[in-house]
Amino acid sequence: MTQTFRFATLQLKRRLPPSVVSTAEAALFEASFDSSKISFPPEAVIKPRKEADIGVVLALANRHRVPVTVRGRGTTLMGSAAPVRGGWVIDMLALNRIAIDAQAGMAHVQCGAKVGDLQRAAEAEGWFYPPDPSSKEYCTIGGNIACNAGGMHGGKYGVTRDFVLALRGFLASGDYVEWGTATKKFSAGFNLRDLWIGSEGMLGVVTGAVLKLIPLPPARWTLLTSFRDETAALRSALELFRRRVQPAICEFLDRESVVCAERAARTTVFPGQAGRPLILIELAGGAAEVREQKALVLGWAKEHATAFRAARNRTEAEALWAVRRKCSGAMFELGDSKLNEDIVVPMRSYLKFIRFLAALKRRSGLPIPTFGHIADGNLHVNIMYHRANPGEMRAAEAAVNELMRTVVDLGGAISGEHGIGLAKSPFLRVQHRAAQVKAMRAVKDALDPRGILNPGKMFEPVRIWKYPKLAIHLPWDHK
Amino acid sequence: MTQTFRFATLQLKRRLPPSVVSTAEAALFEASFDSSKISFPPEAVIKPRKEADIGVVLALANRHRVPVTVRGRGTTLMGSAAPVRGGWVIDMLALNRIAIDAQAGMAHVQCGAKVGDLQRAAEAEGWFYPPDPSSKEYCTIGGNIACNAGGMHGGKYGVTRDFVLALRGFLASGDYVEWGTATKKFSAGFNLRDLWIGSEGMLGVVTGAVLKLIPLPPARWTLLTSFRDETAALRSALELFRRRVQPAICEFLDRESVVCAERAARTTVFPGQAGRPLILIELAGGAAEVREQKALVLGWAKEHATAFRAARNRTEAEALWAVRRKCSGAMFELGDSKLNEDIVVPMRSYLKFIRFLAALKRRSGLPIPTFGHIADGNLHVNIMYHRANPGEMRAAEAAVNELMRTVVDLGGAISGEHGIGLAKSPFLRVQHRAAQVKAMRAVKDALDPRGILNPGKMFEPVRIWKYPKLAIHLPWDHK
């Protein structure tokens, strides 16, 4: 196999400029892992200078059955960008053009563009691109499309899928294709645009996109609230939504998350109320609109919260945000390893889920700090354990299995914004019936008959927590 | 072939209650056509009482290779619901349950539910479902999903696809499947939900959906404006968008459309300014938000419009709307036949397109009244001709061909909200490269290997205007 790959790599070097294809040890190592930190060295790394290079790579890969794994910055925690079958890695970072069409309210981007850069380019023209994964200062729009990334604005504004108008790129065969046009309506033929979104590089390679923007909300207002316990917090949030208030952001932190953050910051959020669950609310919109909603939210906070504090300006808002930003990194005081599960629960199941979570913490004996996007039910459940402790490892594995089954029983999803990759592959069949998995595989075979695109992912159950992890610190790691 | 179908139909009658399967002449005729009014009689009509019936039908159809065409109310103009290969028609109208989850802001619907009923059910709970095809008091949500229907709210709020959170239904094999959950985030496996949306019943059968709702805008404000000519109207609209105003509705009517409507109404919209192109604007949102935007829009109208009139209440707004509602039916004074093309043009090409359209009217010698959704570029170009006049018929055919090529050259789409069906099938390859069509067909073969789902559509070019039309009046026909 490796022999064939080497032959194909030689051919590739002949077809593309020398600076585009690298087989240097350091380059291969860099491309061998993503944020899951499990390393699978490839045969070659390709850094295309122009989108057409990718057609050349794929045509050759398809002919010689070379696995191709596409990567942006590699911030995914799911192992989706790890070249588990070797072969070639295409690194998209050099394809990073961004152009804002200020009149139409659209962004024309290449897949290697950074999400943070896109947001700033849009804002400079009075437009807003809402999807904002916490890694937005590192991750690329191509990666966001691959896993249908979400972020904190999902409840009100939607996720990546809701902002993609058109995609261009290449089929496994190397053929160039365009799905959709730079228009808000398109109803001409099967919707392969959306099939590509969230397909984790397994059905085609995206090289560019046209994204929808919305008018930049001129006003924002931030409020931090605390509650007696998790049930009170979630019950209160539901009451807020019942009043038809749609915060731009609505972040929940359970007691364990707050305790971690407060310990790391050496302060308590609300004096005398250490370790209470929090909800952080941000309204966004026109000045008048925000004023209207603010009155509703303050009325609600007076009725329901044990304490609350509003920010009078952006500096104070940043101070309120500090606790949310701290919690994820601070959790590593509770264990050296984390299973970070971005599950989703429908609103009707919030209270049932929070009771289940309390019981799971008790039964497993593990800390499971949980926080996340309460306007869309996308919670980050962090199962903390020590890798060297076999008892904790078993407890963590049992807990994640129970979590996934329960989430699906409650009508929810095993992933809201990370995708499947390697890490969630053991749970694909918890979410999907056999007929559904069969249909997905049929689509995969139809669009990638030789199975070259990101092989080894999604369908083949891999217990990622059993693999040795690289002991490295990545720029976007918390703390 | 028909022999086999008859045998299968007998089996079907044995498997389902007698009231569900009909082979009565009248029922077969009713199910033989949609709004394109071209009749293809099927072998049997199935009116399922419960969703599970559809699994039974499909398993049997798949075994015996019986074509299956699913229909809601049949309002499509594209021939998408006409059973061109005979076989069985599934009529979904009895599956019409609607349940609003007022807390989560979601609607749980069966595919036969009427879009107008869904909107009213949502509004009763303070929620809003924006997609609003002009046939909304007849057409079903299943049909809207099949063609990814749009309507007047597309520019600000999006189209059907933007509101579908989850679908359930059956594969061609008869297997039950669910795509997505009742949550705003879902990133677990390939996105077959969106692949089904707009697939015109060719990749699976939708039986139910979970739809996202948005808070009902409490305030609306309507303004009718007129302009010197089409170029001035579109140039002014672009200036409005450049000011970051997003009207909920922004409808354009060209001179020919206005002349038709004014003649039918025996009045002029603005005294002394007969036959000027119009733009009808509706703002929606919170009271304060609408007040803010209203000031911007009035300032713009004073600068750009030759005349304008605002509605002080809903009755006055309805009066402003009369001209828009009249124009489509009134066009039949210009010809007994209409090619209604729902093309989409990107904003950057508006002015080029309007120049092209003026030239096309001159060259073809035909009236081509054009109106539509100017906030998203989705224009209804109505090529009017007399069927009995061979010269006009040839001119109409030449005009539609030129229109489609031009739209694609300008970066637009051959359909924004109607889909392909039969009527747009000659233009599929104008929009899509060979590799794109090949990929779509591969997906079709993967999900429907025996080709039973709505065969004869989309991929096989059919010149629908050559077929004889039924001389019948449908309830949703204009006038």
Side-chain angles (χ1 to χ4, degrees), chain A residues 254-376:
Chain A
D254 77 348
R255 278 177 281 194
E256 277 184 306
S257 305
V258 174
V259 167
C260 286
E262 288 185 334
R263 198 176 299 151
R266 293 163 195 268
T267 174
T268 56
V269 177
F270 291 107
Q273 302 201 2
R276 292 231 171 141
L278 300 173
I279 295 181
L280 183 60
I281 292 171
E282 199 160 293
L283 300 175
E289 189 188 351
V290 168
R291 251 197 321 277
E292 259 179 7
Q293 296 245 316
K294 185 174 142 178
L296 285 171
V297 173
L298 280 174
W300 163 84
K302 275 174 202 150
E303 269 178 64
H304 292 272
T306 55
F308 60 92
R309 184 158 70 235
R312 280 166 306 180
N313 51 48
R314 287 317 293 169
T315 317
E316 285 189 16
E318 266 314 300
L320 298 187
W321 271 98
V323 56
R324 166 68 176 81
R325 291 197 213 289
K326 278 250 176 318
C327 74
S328 202
M331 286 172 194
F332 285 100
E333 309 224 331
L334 303 173
D336 59 11
S337 296
K338 183 200 273 195
L339 295 176
N340 168 350
E341 305 301 339
D342 67 317
I343 56 95
V344 197
V345 182
M347 273 192 195
R348 62 170 191 273
S349 304
Y350 277 11
L351 300 178
K352 270 184 217 160
F353 180 75
I354 214 71
R355 277 196 296 274
F356 158 77
L357 193 64
L360 187 68
K361 290 178 186 196
R362 274 197 310 276
R363 269 200 301 277
S364 68
L366 298 175
I368 311 183
T370 295
F371 64 92
H373 324 308
I374 205 67
D376 56 34

Side-chain angles (χ1 to χ4, degrees), chain B residues 97-297:
Chain B
R97 260 202 320 271
I98 297 172
I100 305 298
D101 180 342
Q103 181 167 275
M106 294 181 189
H108 294 251
V109 297
Q110 284 187 308
C111 58
K114 206 162 73 180
V115 175
D117 288 342
L118 160 63
Q119 286 190 329
R120 278 182 292 273
E123 282 177 26
E125 303 280 354
W127 291 99
F128 180 42
Y129 178 74
D132 58 346
S134 64
S135 58
K136 71 178 180 181
E137 289 309 336
Y138 301 93
C139 66
T140 64
I141 188 65
N144 279 214
I145 291 166
C147 69
N148 192 16
M152 297 198 289
H153 286 95
K156 180 168 182 178
Y157 297 111
V159 295
T160 302
R161 169 241 192 193
D162 297 301
F163 293 87
V164 175
L165 296 173
L167 294 177
R168 65 174 181 272
F170 294 87
L171 295 170
S173 59
D175 285 312
Y176 176 72
V177 291
E178 292 176 0
W179 306 123
T181 50
T183 58
K184 290 186 179 173
K185 285 182 173 166
F186 185 87
S187 191
F190 295 154
N191 181 7
L192 271 75
R193 171 190 63 192
D194 285 278
L195 179 64
W196 272 20
I197 299 170
S199 70
E200 309 187 17
M202 295 174 69
L203 299 178
V205 177
V206 174
T207 59
V210 183
L211 305 170
K212 180 166 80 174
L213 305 173
I214 61 173
L216 184 67
R220 283 194 175 259
W221 177 77
T222 311
L223 180 77
L224 188 62
T225 56
S226 80
F227 299 86
R228 201 177 58 249
D229 57 28
E230 282 80 7
T231 301
L234 291 187
R235 214 190 281 282
S236 303
L238 290 173
E239 175 54 31
L240 183 65
F241 304 144
R242 219 173 280 125
R243 296 178 189 183
R244 307 290 177 273
V245 174
Q246 279 204 322
I249 300 179
C250 194
E251 293 289 294
F252 163 76
L253 287 86
D254 77 349
R255 277 177 282 194
E256 276 184 306
S257 304
V258 173
V259 166
C260 287
E262 288 186 333
R263 198 175 299 151
R266 293 164 196 266
T267 175
T268 56
V269 177
F270 290 107
Q273 302 200 3
R276 292 231 171 139
L278 301 173
I279 294 181
L280 183 60
I281 293 172
E282 199 160 293
L283 300 175
E289 188 188 352
V290 168
R291 252 197 319 278
E292 259 178 8
Q293 296 245 316
K294 184 175 145 180
L296 286 171
V297 173

Side-chain angles (χ1 to χ4, degrees), chain A residues 78 414 419-430 456-465:
Chain A
M78 298 296 105
I414 61 171
I420 302 294
L422 298 174
K424 289 254 167 58
S425 58
F427 313 114
L428 185 74
R429 286 160 185 84
V430 176
K457 307 292 165 65
M458 196 180 292
F459 297 111
E460 294 158 57
V462 174
R463 292 193 157 61
I464 196 175
W465 49 87

Side-chain angles (χ1 to χ4, degrees), chain A residues 153 186 230 239 266 305 324 348 370 375 401 404 437 453:
Chain A
H153 285 96
F186 186 87
E230 283 80 5
E239 175 53 31
R266 293 163 195 268
R324 166 68 176 81
R348 62 170 191 273
T370 295
N401 275 299
M404 294 308 186
V437 174
L453 295 176

Side-chain angles (χ1 to χ4, degrees), chain A residues 20 49 78 115 133 144 161 183 207 325 350 352 441 454:
Chain A
V20 170
R49 295 297 172 77
M78 298 296 105
V115 175
N144 279 215
R161 168 240 193 194
T183 58
T207 59
R325 291 197 213 289
Y350 277 11
K352 270 184 217 160
R441 298 197 82 144
N454 208 3

Side-chain angles (χ1 to χ4, degrees), chain B residues 13 36 38 82 103 151 170 237 245 265 329 391 440 469:
Chain B
K13 283 188 165 177
S36 67
I38 308 176
Q103 181 167 275
F170 294 87
V245 174
M440 288 181 202
K469 277 191 158 194

